[in-house]
Structure formats: structure tokens, C-alpha cells
Amino acid sequence: MNEMREIIKDIKRLEPIPQVANRILSLADDPDCPMSELSELILYDQALTANLLRICNSAHFGLSERIESVHHAVVFLGLSQVIDLVLLAGSAKNLKLEQKGYGLHEGELWRNSVSSALIARELADKKGSKNNHLIFTAALLKDIGKVILSRYVSDSFESIYGLVSTQGLSFREAEKEVLGIDHAEVGAMVGETWKFSSRMVEIIRNHHMSEESKYSDFETSIVHLSDMLCMMMGIGVGSDGLAYRFHRGVVDHLGFTDRDMQGIMSDFADKMHQVEEIMNVS
């Protein structure tokens, strides 16, 4: 019980996602929302605007002229990409930190999070999803619970990994057994504290697909698959490594073939420099 109180305190110490990011996210998938309203939301937050312009003017985009305003950024990049960049900038501070409990050096969790979000968006696009901003953000923040739980995992690592190696539990299941809570559940608590939508909280809580009933949940399945593909490529894999369950039923339910997944991983490997550039300016 004392440990749970400490976890709740730690959640409150996180650098929160800007309130405007939640508002942007809630409006982004509304087809009737005018572009000007979304642009103005970003414009009136100085920190978000500064981060957005810095990213737009980075080598990553290589634009022929400097981007000097939010409106200018929307014209050049499109509103959808601008929203993604705002969300990336808003999440960077927490996710870039070292997570000792998970054996993740500084920047590794952030690299995994950005990669998962980009892959999730690509998977969603291939299936004609209408909820790409929800999927992108959920994939980006799916492991925010690790930021909180890292020190508790570090203190109990031998017990946790002992269950993984001797009883065949996944790392998440072993966390739950030893600590009474796992990083996905803590991530959902963070989402509730930050007033994310109930749908976003649900995806974060279930992204490891611990219940087979979730296989039919399209958005959660996409986030789960993007996470698994990152692990297969060795992106941001720490001491918990591959000690997670890859649910083949999720892939089959989504209708992706082995060739599809191989193609996505091959293409993304060529795009890894994009992740590095985003990380350097976010």
C-alpha cells in the first residue's frame, strides 16, 4: 500500500503533456473541425510553437525556406504531420530519461516510443484507419508507465527476472506478480491523471494484449503490433528484452501477412535516421 502511494506521487511529479495537446487530440479526428481552430490552439502555446518551429526547420525536413509560423508549418507539412510533431515535442522530456530498472540508457525509451508511433501510423494507414492520431499517440505513450515504475523494477529486478526465467512469465506478468502492478497499468494511471480520453487510457492499459478478447480491438492491436515489430528490430530493447508475448492471433485478426511485416521492418530500417533527427531536435 505504501508503495502504491509512492507510485501515485511519482506520477504527479512527471512533466505533464501540455493541456493544449489533449485539446488538439480531441479535435484532430473531427472532420468538421476547421483547420484554423487547430492551428490557433498550437499558436497560443508558446512552448509548443517554439518546439514545432525548431523541428520543422531541422535537417530532418530539409525545407527550402525557413518556417516562421504555425500556419506556415501547416501549409508546408500538412495539419496531420504538424499535430504528430506537436505530440512528439510534448512527450520528449519524460521519455528521453534513462530507465535503469529496464536497462534502458538515456534516449532509448524515447527511440522506441517514436519508432512505435511511426510504425503504428504506417500500419493504421495500410488498413485505412480513421483514428490515426489516437493510434499514433497511444503508441508513443504506451510505455510511459516505465518512467514511473523503473526504480521499483530496479529494486526488485532479481525477483522479477527470476519469475521470467523459471516460470515462463512475461516481464509484464512478473512485474504484476512482484510489485502488484505492471507498467501498462501505471501508464493508464498516468493517462487518467493527464485527462486523456477513456479510449486512450484503455489502449495504453491493454497494449500487451493480456486478454484474447482484445484481439478484435483494432486500435489496441495496431499499437501492440507496432511494439512487437520494434522489439524484433531491437529498437529500445532493454533488460526486459524479448520477455513479452507476441500474440500471433493479433496479426491474423488484422490481416497482415509475414511478408507484410517483413516489408514494414525492412522499410523502417531505412528510415531510422528520421527517428534520430527527430530525437535530436525534440
Side-chain angles (χ1 to χ4, degrees), residues 1 14 22-23 26-27 33 55 65 71 78 104-105 110 146 164 168 171 175 180 201-203 220 245 248 252 259 273:
M1 186 62 71
L14 280 179
N22 269 337
R23 179 67 175 148
S26 67
L27 293 175
C33 178
I55 295 172
E65 59 181 277
H71 176 73
L104 292 168
H105 299 300
W110 176 228
K146 287 186 175 182
V164 172
F171 200 91
E175 276 180 345
V201 170
E202 180 184 17
I203 295 170
T220 305
R245 305 199 190 285
R248 179 72 207 192
D252 294 338
R259 175 173 284 188
H273 70 280

Side-chain angles (χ1 to χ4, degrees), residues 119 123 126-127 207-209 211-212 214-230 232 245-265:
I119 291 172
L123 292 169
K126 288 182 181 297
K127 293 299 176 182
H207 76 272
H208 282 296
M209 306 300 279
E211 299 176 17
E212 192 171 332
K214 296 297 179 183
Y215 288 10
S216 60
D217 184 324
F218 176 78
E219 288 83 8
T220 305
S221 293
I222 290 287
V223 172
H224 172 76
L225 182 53
S226 72
D227 190 24
M228 292 301 103
L229 292 178
C230 280
M232 289 178 184
R245 305 199 190 285
F246 179 46
H247 299 281
R248 179 72 207 192
V250 171
V251 181
D252 294 338
H253 207 94
L254 287 170
F256 287 111
T257 66
D258 288 343
R259 175 173 284 188
D260 291 333
M261 293 192 292
Q262 288 165 4
I264 289 166
M265 288 191 288

Side-chain angles (χ1 to χ4, degrees), residues 158-170 174 243:
E158 288 186 13
S159 298
I160 292 170
Y161 209 77
L163 291 176
V164 172
S165 59
T166 63
Q167 296 189 25
L169 299 186
S170 71

Side-chain angles (χ1 to χ4, degrees), residues 25-206:
L25 195 59
S26 67
L27 293 175
D29 291 315
D30 180 357
D32 298 322
C33 178
M35 183 185 297
S36 58
E37 185 174 346
L38 282 165
S39 297
E40 285 179 9
L41 277 174
I42 301 169
L43 178 64
Y44 292 135
D45 189 294
Q46 293 178 333
L48 283 182
T49 298
N51 281 329
L52 173 64
L53 297 184
R54 187 168 70 253
I55 295 172
C56 288
N57 289 309
S58 70
H60 170 62
F61 290 104
L63 299 178
S64 57
E65 59 181 277
R66 278 193 71 78
I67 302 298
E68 304 289 357
S69 68
V70 173
H71 176 73
H72 203 187
V74 170
V75 169
F76 267 79
L77 301 177
L79 183 60
S80 181
Q81 192 162 20
V82 165
I83 291 170
D84 287 350
L85 291 174
V86 166
L87 295 169
L88 285 170
S91 63
K93 196 163 187 179
N94 292 311
L95 294 171
K96 280 187 173 181
L97 301 172
E98 178 184 17
Q99 310 304 329
K100 289 184 179 179
Y102 295 94
L104 292 168
H105 299 300
E106 186 175 334
E108 287 189 306
L109 181 58
W110 176 228
R111 182 180 290 104
N112 174 275
S113 299
V114 174
S115 299
S116 292
L118 294 173
I119 291 172
R121 184 174 60 194
E122 183 175 351
L123 292 169
D125 282 341
K126 288 182 181 297
K127 293 299 176 182
S129 170
K130 303 297 183 185
N131 292 320
N132 285 9
H133 293 300
L134 171 69
I135 290 169
F136 180 92
T137 310
L140 179 69
L141 296 172
K142 69 188 185 318
D143 286 329
I144 189 69
K146 287 186 175 182
V147 177
I148 298 297
L149 217 55
S150 177
R151 71 183 177 98
Y152 303 95
V153 169
S154 183
D155 292 342
S156 303
F157 187 81
E158 288 186 13
S159 298
I160 292 170
Y161 209 77
L163 291 176
V164 172
S165 59
T166 63
Q167 296 189 25
L169 299 186
S170 71
F171 200 91
R172 183 200 62 79
E173 290 166 341
E175 276 180 345
K176 176 80 169 178
E177 182 72 21
V178 173
L179 302 176
I181 195 167
D182 62 60
H183 68 269
E185 292 174 320
V186 175
M189 291 168 64
V190 173
E192 289 169 344
T193 299
W194 288 352
K195 303 191 185 309
F196 286 169
S197 70
S198 59
R199 186 74 183 106
M200 177 81 71
V201 170
E202 180 184 17
I203 295 170
I204 292 172
R205 178 180 287 114
N206 294 296

